[in-house]
Amino acid sequence: MLLRKVSQSSALCGTILRVPPVLSGGQRHAGAVVAVQNARLYASQAAQAVLDKPAAIGSDAATKVEKKTVNVESKSFAANIFKGQIQTAQVFPYPSAMNEEQEQFLRELVPPVCKFFEDVNDPAKNDALEKVEDHTMEGLKEMGAFGLQVPADLGGLGLSNTQYARLVEIVGSHDLGVGITLGAHQSIGFKGILLFGNPAQKEKYLPKLASGETIAAFCLTEPASGSDAASIKTTAVLSPCGTYYTLNGSKIWISNGGLSEIFTVFAKTPMKDPKTGEMKDKISAFIVERSFGGVTHGPPEKKMGIKASNTAEVYFDNVRVPAECLLGEMGGGFKVAMNILNNGRFGMAAALSGTMKGVITKAVDHAANRTQFGSKIHTYGAIQEKMARMAMLHYVTESMAYMISGNMDSGATEFQIEAAISKIFASEAAWTVTDECIQVMGGMGFMKDAGVERVMRDLRIFRIFEGTNDILRLFVALNGFQSAGNQLKGLQKALKNPIGNAGLLAGEITKRAKRKAGLSTGLTLQGTVHPELAHSGELTIKAIEQFGAVVEDLLMKHGKKIIDEQFILKRVADGAIDLYAMVVVLSRASRSLSQGTPSAQHEKMLCETWCVEAHDRVMRDIKALRSSESRQVFKNLRAISTAVVENGGVVSTHPLGF
């Protein structure tokens, strides 16, 4: 009977499981090319790199991952929600990734690092001098702060990602300018050597980099290529003898550009296409020493914030780079760059959770001591709502940071969507929290001596560098749509043999029918989340089911043209961000309740409140994505923007007529 029903339901199968051509078979690459042309190359090529060859932690892992078939089920929670599914392996239970020895070592490190930043580092003076004071730099080197994740046998501290996150959090709570100096050096500057360097490269460079004797910088951005990474003009041409490359070009806005002796540089290299025999330019990565000659830099840039960090243009004029300084494979530079950035984004969330903790402390101190109208201002509802929302944003950000670092330490290789989400969320949450801190403090917060305006200035760059939040939203959405498309591709194949795949197809038909009717498809977090958080778990499941349904609807409707629909992609990404935020706080609060930690009931309130409001936001986004009114709004927004650009500014006539 079941077989007959399925075989007779080909029309229904075709309707429910209709697969857009962009995400099937050999056309996947063509879809990625369209993405390159329409969604700016940073997002789309990043998506292509992940989708065609899933990003891995290192070169060895990359080789292993590339050998896998594309049909392997993703363990990424974020990737699965685009299919309306839940994969709990990487989110439940909340990770405890340190062993006893690692935890003890970290406990020993935290107090002296805190004391250093409280007693030695002067963030206001660094900001005024527009450089990190010399004695602070020397102190950081003595503590080993320039080689936190370099293996101990190469002169570093050999910290795990979780240990690293905890120390970065301390830095972020005190001085983001110092944080950028350290982060540009090790989170991206020499991270490529850690991830892709061969043994000889690691032995040659890492000891001096770990000690701070030499400083590193990451050189990707150019005057004509920001988010559009593939449009770089810097070239590296292999010599006829094959022993060196000649590097020419320039890079702008390079953190540590004026301080560094070692640079990770991305350049176009001519390569012969094995299929056509034609020469094509592909991006390769190189380790470049200033001592090679021909490497110079411009004056320090005058910036809005993070003034203590050095930012400069770097020039490469006929630099002779030895062939052994190629980092990774020839033509594999884009993969190197994406792995470096994906691998380091969790650190930004950790640092900014520290920043938020610091400014919340300032806001609390003011609210608890400021009296107006006869009462302390923290007793008024308007202030209470601000403080509560600041605490929630911090809780989510901190939960994301340590969820991802824990996943990485546990050997996960699929975390690029989650890492991008954490960067987007943390940078926007930190800005909101700091802005609200100033509001709580009133005029006092606006004053320079309070120190919050410096934090505000420092924070503004975080929504721009290491992938602008706008581009990263496209990255999140495009990766998610690809994941959903791969699932539909599998179902399309199953339709060719409906008898042999009867159970699968019947299940998929039933699931889609239930989703269309607004009914549960059977997904549950019962037994996974703590019983006291059951309702929050149910809200999360309902939102995921409807999110998966709307993603599939959008794929059906737009096919490969979904890549052009950036109004839609933004809102889909916002939904994914909220859903991931819901699950990380559910996981963390569940652990706290299970362990009976002192703050468990407080965390329960943070989690419940967040999940109620996030569920409502996701459902509003889903409704908007299905609404004809929203489509008209998108058309209006496009037309308004076009008119403003064509007019060179505001179009509307002044109300006074002149």
Side-chain angles (χ1 to χ4, degrees):
M1 185 67 179
L2 175 62
L3 294 176
R4 188 178 301 113
K5 283 185 178 179
V6 173
S7 61
Q8 291 174 349
S9 300
S10 58
L12 179 59
C13 290
T15 301
I16 294 180
L17 305 178
R18 197 165 63 247
V19 183
V22 64
L23 295 167
S24 61
Q27 292 181 309
R28 186 193 308 115
H29 181 72
V33 172
V34 176
V36 168
Q37 297 168 343
N38 295 286
R40 300 184 75 184
L41 289 168
Y42 182 92
S44 53
Q45 284 200 355
Q48 180 183 340
V50 172
L51 301 167
D52 290 347
K53 296 180 180 179
I57 298 297
S59 54
D60 292 339
T63 302
K64 294 175 184 176
V65 170
E66 289 166 16
K67 291 179 181 178
K68 293 181 181 179
T69 63
V70 295
N71 294 322
V72 174
E73 281 295 314
S74 171
K75 292 183 179 179
S76 163
F77 179 86
N80 276 281
I81 61 175
F82 284 84
K83 298 182 282 187
Q85 298 175 355
I86 55 172
Q87 170 56 262
T88 61
Q90 290 184 187
V91 289
F92 290 101
Y94 194 82
S96 298
M98 292 188 293
N99 59 36
E100 188 176 336
E101 183 180 344
Q102 288 173 320
E103 183 174 338
Q104 180 59 35
F105 185 38
L106 184 58
R107 286 181 181 276
E108 293 170 0
L109 286 174
V110 167
V113 173
C114 287
K115 185 172 177 59
F116 178 87
F117 277 94
E118 289 165 2
D119 297 347
V120 178
N121 184 66
D122 187 339
K125 195 166 185 182
N126 291 339
D127 185 63
L129 292 173
E130 299 190 0
K131 61 169 287 187
V132 180
E133 290 189 276
D134 292 341
H135 74 275
T136 299
M137 287 288 280
E138 290 306 312
L140 290 167
K141 292 175 184 178
E142 290 172 11
M143 287 196 302
F146 282 83
L148 297 178
Q149 292 194 280
V150 174
D153 61 351
L154 291 172
L157 294 183
L159 300 186
S160 68
N161 293 298
T162 300
Q163 291 171 310
Y164 175 80
R166 184 66 183 94
L167 297 187
V168 166
E169 179 188 340
I170 296 169
V171 179
S173 69
H174 288 89
D175 193 337
L176 288 171
V178 171
I180 294 302
T181 301
L182 293 173
H185 170 70
Q186 58 197 316
S187 182
I188 56 175
F190 69 75
K191 181 59 73 75
I193 302 176
L194 269 177
L195 296 179
F196 290 91
N198 58 44
Q201 291 171 334
K202 291 179 179 180
E203 289 173 12
K204 178 178 181 180
Y205 293 109
L206 291 180
K208 288 186 177 180
L209 289 165
S211 69
E213 182 178 341
T214 55
I215 305 298
F218 178 86
C219 297
L220 178 62
T221 304
E222 297 184 4
S225 68
S227 297
D228 186 357
S231 67
I232 61 173
K233 300 291 191 293
T234 297
T235 59
V237 180
L238 185 63
S239 64
C241 63
T243 61
Y244 66 90
Y245 295 84
T246 301
L247 180 68
N248 282 285
S250 65
K251 303 289 183 176
I252 60 168
W253 304 326
I254 303 304
S255 295
N256 293 347
L259 307 177
S260 296
E261 295 294 329
I262 305 297
F263 303 86
T264 299
V265 182
F266 297 87
K268 284 190 171 179
T269 49
M271 293 180 64
K272 182 178 289 187
D273 189 313
K275 294 182 179 179
T276 65
E278 296 179 3
M279 296 300 291
K280 293 184 178 180
D281 286 338
K282 291 197 173 182
I283 297 175
S284 297
F286 299 89
I287 304 168
V288 179
E289 301 178 30
R290 191 181 288 270
S291 62
F292 289 164
V295 181
T296 56
H297 66 272
E301 300 284 358
K302 295 294 183 181
K303 308 187 295 285
M304 173 183 177
I306 58 168
K307 293 184 177 183
S309 67
N310 176 276
T311 308
E313 188 164 0
V314 181
Y315 310 98
F316 304 98
D317 184 13
N318 289 320
V319 181
R320 184 174 289 196
V321 181
E324 58 266 26
C325 287
L326 176 68
L327 189 58
E329 299 175 354
M330 172 77 85
F334 193 82
K335 183 175 73 174
V336 173
M338 292 303 99
N339 271 272
I340 290 170
L341 294 171
N342 287 333
N343 202 271
R345 286 191 177 116
F346 79 94
M348 193 177 296
L352 295 180
S353 73
T355 305
M356 283 185 259
K357 188 176 290 186
V359 297
I360 288 171
T361 299
K362 287 180 180 289
V364 167
D365 180 65
H366 183 83
N369 292 288
R370 176 70 165 171
T371 299
Q372 290 288 279
F373 308 107
S375 298
K376 301 295 186 184
I377 65 171
H378 74 87
T379 64
Y380 296 119
I383 300 298
Q384 289 172 339
E385 181 168 352
K386 291 180 186 298
M387 305 292 276
R389 294 194 181 283
M390 292 162 73
M392 281 196 296
L393 289 170
H394 167 262
Y395 187 70
V396 175
T397 302
E398 189 177 66
S399 300
M400 284 186 181
Y402 289 97
M403 174 71 80
I404 296 168
S405 67
N407 291 161
M408 294 168 69
D409 288 337
S410 299
T413 58
E414 297 175 86
F415 55 81
Q416 55 269 20
I417 299 178
E418 288 86 345
I421 286 173
S422 74
K423 189 271 186 182
I424 296 167
F425 189 93
S427 58
E428 294 176 1
W431 177 266
T432 299
V433 167
T434 305
D435 183 57
E436 288 289 63
C437 174
I438 292 175
Q439 194 69 17
V440 168
M441 295 177 71
M444 185 67 72
F446 193 70
M447 297 298 113
K448 195 178 188 71
D449 286 347
V452 190
E453 62 84 28
R454 170 180 51 79
V455 176
M456 197 80 182
R457 287 188 286 105
D458 288 347
L459 281 172
R460 189 57 188 88
I461 190 60
F462 284 83
R463 286 186 279 160
I464 299 172
F465 67 2
E466 294 194 33
T468 70
N469 287 9
D470 311 274
I471 295 298
L472 285 180
R473 277 185 164 86
L474 300 181
F475 175 89
V476 168
L478 289 172
N479 273 269
F481 272 113
Q482 185 67 62
S483 179
N486 285 341
Q487 181 198 34
L488 291 179
K489 176 187 170 186
L491 295 176
Q492 184 184 46
K493 289 181 179 178
L495 277 171
K496 295 177 181 178
N497 182 15
I499 303 299
N501 295 291
L504 170 67
L505 295 174
E508 292 296 330
I509 292 168
T510 301
K511 180 174 74 173
R512 282 158 176 77
K514 286 183 176 180
R515 283 200 311 210
K516 292 286 185 184
L519 302 175
S520 172
T521 61
L523 290 181
T524 181
L525 286 173
Q526 188 175 0
T528 303
V529 302
H530 192 277
E532 292 186 38
L533 294 171
H535 179 61
S536 297
E538 290 170 4
L539 290 177
T540 303
I541 289 299
K542 289 177 182 177
I544 289 172
E545 288 177 326
Q546 292 305 308
F547 182 75
V550 79
V551 165
E552 188 169 297
D553 290 346
L554 291 168
L555 276 173
M556 302 293 189
K557 179 178 180 180
H558 296 284
K560 66 182 181 179
K561 292 184 180 180
I562 190 64
I563 298 166
D564 301 332
E565 300 293 335
Q566 292 192 10
F567 291 104
I568 290 173
L569 293 174
K570 175 187 179 297
R571 286 153 181 82
V572 168
D574 285 342
I577 292 167
D578 260 328
L579 287 170
Y580 185 63
M582 290 171 79
V583 82
V584 296
V585 296
L586 267 171
S587 179
R588 182 179 172 188
S590 289
R591 185 182 73 173
S592 295
L593 287 165
S594 296
Q595 294 178 350
T597 60
S599 63
Q601 290 303 314
H602 179 73
E603 291 182 50
K604 176 187 173 184
M605 286 191 293
L606 290 169
C607 176
E608 287 179 333
T609 308
W610 179 266
C611 287
V612 167
E613 295 192 335
H615 168 268
D616 289 347
R617 286 193 297 272
V618 173
M619 299 311 288
R620 281 199 300 271
D621 282 337
I622 290 171
K623 183 178 179 181
L625 288 167
R626 288 174 168 154
S627 165
S628 58
E629 287 186 1
S630 293
R631 289 194 289 275
Q632 184 59 50
V633 168
F634 298 160
K635 289 180 182 178
N636 290 350
L637 291 172
R638 185 176 284 110
I640 292 168
S641 174
T642 300
V644 170
V645 171
E646 289 177 350
N647 195 54
V650 173
V651 177
S652 52
T653 303
H654 192 279
L656 298 181
F658 60 89

